């Protein structure tokens, strides 16, 4: 069982950013509206994620660290209907097998919670502890017992880069959630929640960028699009910053990126790139999110209609602004 967890850990926990990803996605699945992430030394010495979500029932705390002990999928349920981010029940046992974990969680507002300490997959403490509703998860000394894995870690700056990239993506795709990210005590991200996407754009890209954004709004029979696009004369000189979100989930799509770039075609000065946050809503049957295990790549069943619609909506917004 322990060996199985460490093997699974190799797949789930590639680097500190993978731990942040799994913990943040659990917090989102738990319905959190506030998620705070603290990291030290690129996440290698410490990662702490707190949320105000549902918490874990004291009786379920220990089993949450067993393999495939997910609470999110019941037998026979169609995998394609899954709306939660995690459903395999592999993250917690994997993380706990390669680090020192401390979990404090509570389901209610009566102050009664549970505290667990697990080191290298071994349960050390499981006791009642005072806690407010939600979950406080600390992961210390990641890979301390798998030196081969530790050796593959890059610089603190590189590992932090992966963490902040991920947090920016989550903030942009979840403007309804208040996120903070701190590294060695320094604040790298603070969003306010409440659905203010422009505030998130300001928090991620700076207020100057946010001021140069124009809102996007459009609807067809099958699709609804919203978000923000940068004015053609206010574009970035470095790599393009396109965020695409489908039904509330961050995704990567080559065809959508192409459609966006086509909309800017001829308007963009040479060597400049747009800043775009595109949110799409469509019936779940029109998008297959399980093409890729990391659930970032998707396939659209009405791809041609969708890309034409996106291109047209952005083109209209831009030309309106230019005229
Ligand atoms: P999965 O997310 O695939 O279900 P995990 O190993 O990530 O599996 O988590 C195991 C279980 O622990 C989850 O199904 C959930 O019931 C519980 N859990 C984990 N993190 C949280 C959290 N932050 N808030 C509430 N419940 C949580
Ligand atoms: Mg999970």
């Amino acid at each position: 069982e322990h060996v199985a967890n460490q093997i699974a850990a190799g797949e789930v926990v590639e680097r500190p950013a993978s731990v942040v990803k799994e913990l943040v996605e659990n917090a989102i699945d738990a319905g959190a509206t506030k998620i705070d992430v603290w990291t030290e030394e690129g996440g290698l010495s410490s990662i702490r994620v707190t949320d105000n979500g549902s918490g874990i029932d004291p009786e379920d705390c220990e089993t949450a660290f067993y393999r495939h002990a997910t609470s999110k999928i019941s037998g026979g349920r169609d995998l394609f209907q899954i709306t939660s981010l995690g459903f395999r029940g592999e993250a917690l046992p994997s993380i706990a097998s390669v680090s020192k974990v401390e979990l404090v969680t509570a389901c209610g507002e009566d102050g009664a919670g549970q505290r667990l300490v697990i080191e290298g997959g071994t349960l050390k403490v499981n006791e009642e502890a005072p806690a407010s509703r939600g979950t406080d998860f600390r992961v210390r000394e990641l890979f301390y017992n798998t030196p081969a894995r530790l050796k593959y870690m890059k610089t603190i700056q590189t590992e932090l880069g992966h963490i902040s990239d991920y947090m920016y993506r989550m903030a942009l795709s979840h403007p309804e959630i208040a996120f903070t990210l701190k590294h060695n005590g320094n604040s790298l991200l603070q969003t306010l929640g409440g659905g203010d996407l422009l505030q998130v754009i300001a928090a991620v890209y700076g207020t100057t960028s946010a001021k140069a954004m124009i809102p996007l709004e459009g609807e067809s029979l099958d699709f609804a699009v919203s978000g923000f696009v940068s004015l053609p004369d206010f574009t970035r000189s470095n790599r393009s910053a396109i965020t695409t979100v489908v039904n509330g989930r961050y995704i990567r799509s080559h065809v959508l990126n192409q459609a966006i770039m086509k909309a800017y075609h001829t308007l963009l000065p040479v060597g400049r790139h747009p800043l775009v946050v595109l949110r799409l809503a469509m019936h779940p049957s029109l998008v297959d999110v399980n093409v890729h295990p990391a659930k970032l790549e998707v396939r659209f069943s009405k791809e041609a209609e969708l890309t034409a619609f996106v291109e047209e909506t952005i083109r209209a917004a831009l030309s309106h602004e230019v005229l």
Side-chain angles (χ1 to χ4, degrees):
E1 174 67 18
H2 181 67
V3 172
N5 285 338
Q6 280 204 350
I7 291 169
E11 292 160 24
V12 179
V13 192
E14 198 193 333
R15 57 187 351 144
S18 341
V19 173
V20 172
K21 172 181 187 291
E22 297 297 339
L23 298 184
V24 166
E25 292 186 356
N26 281 345
I28 293 174
D29 285 346
T33 56
K34 182 162 171 47
I35 301 175
D36 298 301
V37 180
W38 288 265
T39 56
E40 305 281 338
E41 309 307 322
L44 285 165
S45 73
S46 172
I47 294 167
R48 179 182 182 191
V49 177
T50 64
D51 72 61
N52 65 349
S54 64
I56 310 175
D57 193 280
E59 267 134 56
D60 297 334
C61 280
E62 195 184 334
T63 46
F65 287 91
Y66 296 163
R67 243 154 97 72
H68 306 302
T70 180
S71 62
K72 296 169 193 167
I73 184 166
S74 43
R77 202 171 135 200
D78 186 353
L79 276 174
F80 290 88
Q81 294 296 314
I82 288 168
T83 53
S84 60
L85 294 168
F87 57 85
R88 291 180 306 158
E90 284 187 340
L92 295 194
S94 299
I95 292 166
S97 73
V98 293
S99 68
K100 300 177 180 177
V101 164
E102 181 179 354
L103 163 73
V104 179
T105 186
C107 297
E109 297 289 5
D110 60 357
Q114 196 77 10
R115 175 174 172 267
L116 272 79
V117 176
I118 298 169
E119 291 185 6
T122 307
L123 183 69
K124 299 278 182 180
V125 178
N126 187 0
E127 62 185 15
E128 289 178 15
S132 48
R133 185 180 181 270
T135 300
D136 180 347
F137 216 111
R138 290 175 205 234
V139 176
R140 294 191 180 91
E141 294 178 58
L142 184 63
F143 303 134
Y144 81 101
N145 56 352
T146 52
R149 171 67 59 170
L150 194 57
K151 223 178 62 190
Y152 277 102
M153 292 307 112
K154 305 279 191 284
T155 62
I156 284 171
Q157 213 48 44
T158 301
E159 298 309 326
L160 176 62
H162 286 283
I163 292 170
S164 52
D165 278 356
Y166 171 76
M167 290 299 293
Y168 296 156
R169 267 182 2 221
M170 290 320 268
L172 288 165
S173 46
H174 293 279
E176 76 282 5
I177 298 176
F179 286 101
T180 63
L181 171 64
K182 288 201 170 90
H183 182 254
N184 294 351
N186 301 315
S187 174
L188 297 182
L189 175 70
Q190 179 168 22
T191 70
L192 303 178
D196 185 352
L197 181 57
L198 203 53
Q199 188 272 323
V200 180
I201 291 172
V204 172
Y205 296 109
T207 45
T208 316
S209 301
K211 281 195 186 111
M213 302 296 279
I214 47 178
L216 207 59
E217 205 75 66
E219 222 177 288
S220 73
L221 211 54
D222 290 309
F223 313 110
V225 63
S226 62
F228 289 90
V229 293
S230 60
L231 289 165
D233 59 354
F234 185 88
T235 47
R236 298 152 57 86
S237 51
N238 49 351
R239 73 195 166 95
S240 82
I242 295 174
T243 302
T244 45
V245 179
V246 173
N247 294 343
R249 193 187 294 229
Y250 174 88
I251 60 118
R252 271 193 203 130
S253 163
H254 182 62
V255 291
L256 282 180
N257 287 354
Q258 268 184 325
I260 292 164
M261 292 311 288
K262 265 171 88 180
Y264 274 93
H265 184 64
T266 71
L267 293 171
L268 278 182
V270 178
R272 306 291 290 183
H273 300 280
L275 185 77
V276 173
V277 181
L278 186 81
R279 298 178 64 86
L280 285 162
M282 65 189 73
H283 191 272
S285 66
L286 293 179
V287 52
D288 179 0
V289 293
N290 288 311
V291 175
H292 188 271
K295 291 172 283 175
L296 290 179
E297 303 284 343
V298 299
R299 194 171 289 155
F300 301 107
S301 46
K302 293 189 179 178
E303 187 180 292
E305 290 92 328
L306 175 64
T307 51
F309 170 65
V310 164
E311 187 187 333
E312 188 42 49
T313 309
I314 296 176
R315 200 190 295 272
L318 292 176
S319 63
H320 189 78
E321 215 41 54
V322 167
L323 286 177

